[in-house]
mmCIF file of all heavy atoms in Angstrom:
data_model
loop_
_atom_site.group_PDB
_atom_site.id
_atom_site.type_symbol
_atom_site.label_atom_id
_atom_site.label_comp_id
_atom_site.label_asym_id
_atom_site.label_seq_id
_atom_site.Cartn_x
_atom_site.Cartn_y
_atom_site.Cartn_z
ATOM 1 N N GLY A 112 -24.118 9.233 2.332
ATOM 2 C CA GLY A 112 -24.159 10.147 1.192
ATOM 3 C C GLY A 112 -22.725 10.561 0.905
ATOM 4 O O GLY A 112 -21.789 9.952 1.416
ATOM 5 N N ALA A 113 -22.545 11.581 0.088
ATOM 6 C CA ALA A 113 -21.196 12.067 -0.186
ATOM 7 C C ALA A 113 -20.538 12.492 1.119
ATOM 8 O O ALA A 113 -21.131 13.212 1.922
ATOM 9 C CB ALA A 113 -21.247 13.232 -1.161
ATOM 10 N N VAL A 114 -19.323 12.011 1.369
ATOM 11 C CA VAL A 114 -18.639 12.305 2.634
ATOM 12 C C VAL A 114 -17.291 12.968 2.366
ATOM 13 O O VAL A 114 -16.696 12.797 1.301
ATOM 14 C CB VAL A 114 -18.432 11.021 3.468
ATOM 15 C CG1 VAL A 114 -19.763 10.398 3.821
ATOM 16 C CG2 VAL A 114 -17.561 10.025 2.726
ATOM 17 N N GLN A 115 -16.852 13.716 3.364
ATOM 18 C CA GLN A 115 -15.565 14.388 3.296
ATOM 19 C C GLN A 115 -14.550 13.574 4.091
ATOM 20 O O GLN A 115 -14.693 13.399 5.304
ATOM 21 C CB GLN A 115 -15.661 15.810 3.862
ATOM 22 C CG GLN A 115 -14.494 16.705 3.528
ATOM 23 C CD GLN A 115 -14.485 17.130 2.060
ATOM 24 O OE1 GLN A 115 -15.541 17.180 1.433
ATOM 25 N NE2 GLN A 115 -13.319 17.428 1.527
ATOM 26 N N VAL A 116 -13.550 13.038 3.409
ATOM 27 C CA VAL A 116 -12.493 12.256 4.045
ATOM 28 C C VAL A 116 -11.210 13.053 3.935
ATOM 29 O O VAL A 116 -10.594 13.128 2.875
ATOM 30 C CB VAL A 116 -12.331 10.876 3.373
ATOM 31 C CG1 VAL A 116 -11.235 10.072 4.060
ATOM 32 C CG2 VAL A 116 -13.649 10.114 3.393
ATOM 33 N N ASP A 117 -10.793 13.679 5.045
ATOM 34 C CA ASP A 117 -9.696 14.658 5.017
ATOM 35 C C ASP A 117 -10.011 15.689 3.937
ATOM 36 O O ASP A 117 -11.070 16.304 3.981
ATOM 37 C CB ASP A 117 -8.357 13.957 4.771
ATOM 38 C CG ASP A 117 -7.860 13.214 6.011
ATOM 39 O OD1 ASP A 117 -8.439 13.433 7.090
ATOM 40 O OD2 ASP A 117 -6.937 12.418 5.902
ATOM 41 N N ARG A 118 -9.149 15.832 2.936
ATOM 42 C CA ARG A 118 -9.381 16.836 1.888
ATOM 43 C C ARG A 118 -10.058 16.253 0.659
ATOM 44 O O ARG A 118 -10.194 16.937 -0.363
ATOM 45 C CB ARG A 118 -8.053 17.476 1.487
ATOM 46 C CG ARG A 118 -7.440 18.351 2.579
ATOM 47 C CD ARG A 118 -6.062 18.830 2.188
ATOM 48 N NE ARG A 118 -5.117 17.705 2.135
ATOM 49 C CZ ARG A 118 -3.864 17.829 1.722
ATOM 50 N NH1 ARG A 118 -3.401 18.993 1.324
ATOM 51 N NH2 ARG A 118 -3.067 16.770 1.709
ATOM 52 N N PHE A 119 -10.514 15.011 0.747
ATOM 53 C CA PHE A 119 -11.101 14.348 -0.405
ATOM 54 C C PHE A 119 -12.601 14.150 -0.206
ATOM 55 O O PHE A 119 -13.076 13.906 0.901
ATOM 56 C CB PHE A 119 -10.432 12.986 -0.634
ATOM 57 C CG PHE A 119 -8.940 13.059 -0.764
ATOM 58 C CD1 PHE A 119 -8.112 12.826 0.326
ATOM 59 C CD2 PHE A 119 -8.366 13.383 -1.980
ATOM 60 C CE1 PHE A 119 -6.731 12.899 0.197
ATOM 61 C CE2 PHE A 119 -6.990 13.469 -2.116
ATOM 62 C CZ PHE A 119 -6.171 13.228 -1.029
ATOM 63 N N ARG A 120 -13.326 14.242 -1.316
ATOM 64 C CA ARG A 120 -14.761 13.992 -1.284
ATOM 65 C C ARG A 120 -15.011 12.609 -1.871
ATOM 66 O O ARG A 120 -14.497 12.266 -2.938
ATOM 67 C CB ARG A 120 -15.496 15.057 -2.093
ATOM 68 C CG ARG A 120 -17.020 15.029 -1.921
ATOM 69 C CD ARG A 120 -17.636 16.268 -2.538
ATOM 70 N NE ARG A 120 -19.089 16.256 -2.460
ATOM 71 C CZ ARG A 120 -19.787 16.565 -1.377
ATOM 72 N NH1 ARG A 120 -19.127 16.897 -0.267
ATOM 73 N NH2 ARG A 120 -21.102 16.550 -1.382
ATOM 74 N N LEU A 121 -15.801 11.817 -1.179
ATOM 75 C CA LEU A 121 -16.010 10.423 -1.561
ATOM 76 C C LEU A 121 -17.493 10.137 -1.742
ATOM 77 O O LEU A 121 -18.322 10.520 -0.909
ATOM 78 C CB LEU A 121 -15.436 9.498 -0.485
ATOM 79 C CG LEU A 121 -15.621 7.992 -0.671
ATOM 80 C CD1 LEU A 121 -14.836 7.503 -1.880
ATOM 81 C CD2 LEU A 121 -15.179 7.238 0.584
ATOM 82 N N GLU A 122 -17.819 9.481 -2.846
ATOM 83 C CA GLU A 122 -19.194 9.065 -3.114
ATOM 84 C C GLU A 122 -19.328 7.571 -2.812
ATOM 85 O O GLU A 122 -18.822 6.727 -3.568
ATOM 86 C CB GLU A 122 -19.556 9.330 -4.575
ATOM 87 C CG GLU A 122 -19.673 10.806 -4.935
ATOM 88 C CD GLU A 122 -21.002 11.399 -4.501
ATOM 89 O OE1 GLU A 122 -21.881 10.626 -4.060
ATOM 90 O OE2 GLU A 122 -21.142 12.636 -4.596
ATOM 91 N N PRO A 123 -19.973 7.206 -1.730
ATOM 92 C CA PRO A 123 -20.136 5.774 -1.395
ATOM 93 C C PRO A 123 -20.989 5.058 -2.438
ATOM 94 O O PRO A 123 -21.723 5.672 -3.211
ATOM 95 C CB PRO A 123 -20.844 5.812 -0.033
ATOM 96 C CG PRO A 123 -20.551 7.170 0.518
ATOM 97 C CD PRO A 123 -20.494 8.080 -0.671
ATOM 98 N N ASP A 124 -20.894 3.738 -2.424
ATOM 99 C CA ASP A 124 -21.690 2.918 -3.338
ATOM 100 C C ASP A 124 -23.134 2.805 -2.888
ATOM 101 O O ASP A 124 -24.046 2.637 -3.709
ATOM 102 C CB ASP A 124 -21.098 1.505 -3.435
ATOM 103 C CG ASP A 124 -19.666 1.513 -3.942
ATOM 104 O OD1 ASP A 124 -19.412 2.180 -4.957
ATOM 105 O OD2 ASP A 124 -18.817 0.854 -3.307
ATOM 106 N N CYS A 125 -23.346 2.880 -1.570
ATOM 107 C CA CYS A 125 -24.693 2.679 -1.037
ATOM 108 C C CYS A 125 -24.769 3.258 0.373
ATOM 109 O O CYS A 125 -23.776 3.752 0.910
ATOM 110 C CB CYS A 125 -25.060 1.194 -1.024
ATOM 111 S SG CYS A 125 -23.883 0.174 -0.107
ATOM 112 N N GLY A 126 -25.950 3.202 0.972
ATOM 113 C CA GLY A 126 -26.153 3.765 2.301
ATOM 114 C C GLY A 126 -25.647 2.872 3.413
ATOM 115 O O GLY A 126 -25.329 1.695 3.210
ATOM 116 N N LEU A 127 -25.601 3.447 4.611
ATOM 117 C CA LEU A 127 -25.106 2.707 5.772
ATOM 118 C C LEU A 127 -26.001 1.517 6.122
ATOM 119 O O LEU A 127 -25.537 0.551 6.742
ATOM 120 C CB LEU A 127 -24.999 3.649 6.982
ATOM 121 C CG LEU A 127 -23.875 4.687 6.941
ATOM 122 C CD1 LEU A 127 -24.032 5.680 8.086
ATOM 123 C CD2 LEU A 127 -22.507 4.003 7.013
ATOM 124 N N ASP A 128 -27.250 1.570 5.724
ATOM 125 C CA ASP A 128 -28.151 0.464 6.040
ATOM 126 C C ASP A 128 -27.724 -0.834 5.363
ATOM 127 O O ASP A 128 -28.076 -1.932 5.807
ATOM 128 C CB ASP A 128 -29.583 0.813 5.624
ATOM 129 C CG ASP A 128 -29.701 1.110 4.128
ATOM 130 O OD1 ASP A 128 -28.886 1.898 3.619
ATOM 131 O OD2 ASP A 128 -30.605 0.549 3.491
ATOM 132 N N GLN A 129 -26.900 -0.713 4.295
ATOM 133 C CA GLN A 129 -26.454 -1.900 3.572
ATOM 134 C C GLN A 129 -25.331 -2.650 4.300
ATOM 135 O O GLN A 129 -24.932 -3.737 3.872
ATOM 136 C CB GLN A 129 -25.996 -1.518 2.167
ATOM 137 C CG GLN A 129 -27.113 -0.975 1.285
ATOM 138 C CD GLN A 129 -28.239 -1.986 1.133
ATOM 139 O OE1 GLN A 129 -28.036 -3.099 0.679
ATOM 140 N NE2 GLN A 129 -29.454 -1.589 1.543
ATOM 141 N N LEU A 130 -24.816 -2.067 5.393
ATOM 142 C CA LEU A 130 -23.807 -2.777 6.182
ATOM 143 C C LEU A 130 -24.357 -4.102 6.693
ATOM 144 O O LEU A 130 -23.612 -5.068 6.870
ATOM 145 C CB LEU A 130 -23.348 -1.918 7.367
ATOM 146 C CG LEU A 130 -22.542 -0.652 7.063
ATOM 147 C CD1 LEU A 130 -22.200 0.061 8.367
ATOM 148 C CD2 LEU A 130 -21.273 -0.975 6.283
ATOM 149 N N GLN A 131 -25.656 -4.151 6.924
ATOM 150 C CA GLN A 131 -26.263 -5.379 7.456
ATOM 151 C C GLN A 131 -26.195 -6.538 6.466
ATOM 152 O O GLN A 131 -26.375 -7.691 6.852
ATOM 153 C CB GLN A 131 -27.729 -5.114 7.818
ATOM 154 C CG GLN A 131 -27.917 -4.118 8.936
ATOM 155 C CD GLN A 131 -29.373 -4.002 9.348
ATOM 156 O OE1 GLN A 131 -30.024 -4.991 9.653
ATOM 157 N NE2 GLN A 131 -29.888 -2.781 9.358
ATOM 158 N N ARG A 132 -25.927 -6.243 5.200
ATOM 159 C CA ARG A 132 -25.859 -7.290 4.191
ATOM 160 C C ARG A 132 -24.449 -7.848 4.031
ATOM 161 O O ARG A 132 -24.238 -8.810 3.280
ATOM 162 C CB ARG A 132 -26.349 -6.746 2.841
ATOM 163 C CG ARG A 132 -27.769 -6.206 2.889
ATOM 164 C CD ARG A 132 -28.159 -5.570 1.563
ATOM 165 N NE ARG A 132 -28.192 -6.552 0.492
ATOM 166 C CZ ARG A 132 -29.241 -7.298 0.182
ATOM 167 N NH1 ARG A 132 -30.361 -7.180 0.877
ATOM 168 N NH2 ARG A 132 -29.191 -8.167 -0.826
ATOM 169 N N ALA A 133 -23.474 -7.228 4.718
ATOM 170 C CA ALA A 133 -22.071 -7.612 4.551
ATOM 171 C C ALA A 133 -21.689 -8.737 5.507
ATOM 172 O O ALA A 133 -22.247 -8.869 6.597
ATOM 173 C CB ALA A 133 -21.164 -6.414 4.781
ATOM 174 N N ASP A 134 -20.732 -9.539 5.083
ATOM 175 C CA ASP A 134 -20.177 -10.580 5.949
ATOM 176 C C ASP A 134 -19.094 -10.006 6.855
ATOM 177 O O ASP A 134 -18.904 -10.483 7.969
ATOM 178 C CB ASP A 134 -19.595 -11.710 5.102
ATOM 179 C CG ASP A 134 -20.674 -12.445 4.332
ATOM 180 O OD1 ASP A 134 -21.494 -13.127 4.975
ATOM 181 O OD2 ASP A 134 -20.714 -12.330 3.092
#
Side-chain angles (χ1 to χ4, degrees):
V114 299
Q115 195 72 27
V116 181
D117 285 348
R118 291 174 293 175
F119 305 96
R120 190 169 177 79
L121 177 66
E122 291 281 352
D124 300 312
C125 56
L127 288 171
D128 59 311
Q129 295 301 302
L130 292 179
Q131 295 186 53
R132 302 175 64 87
D134 294 292

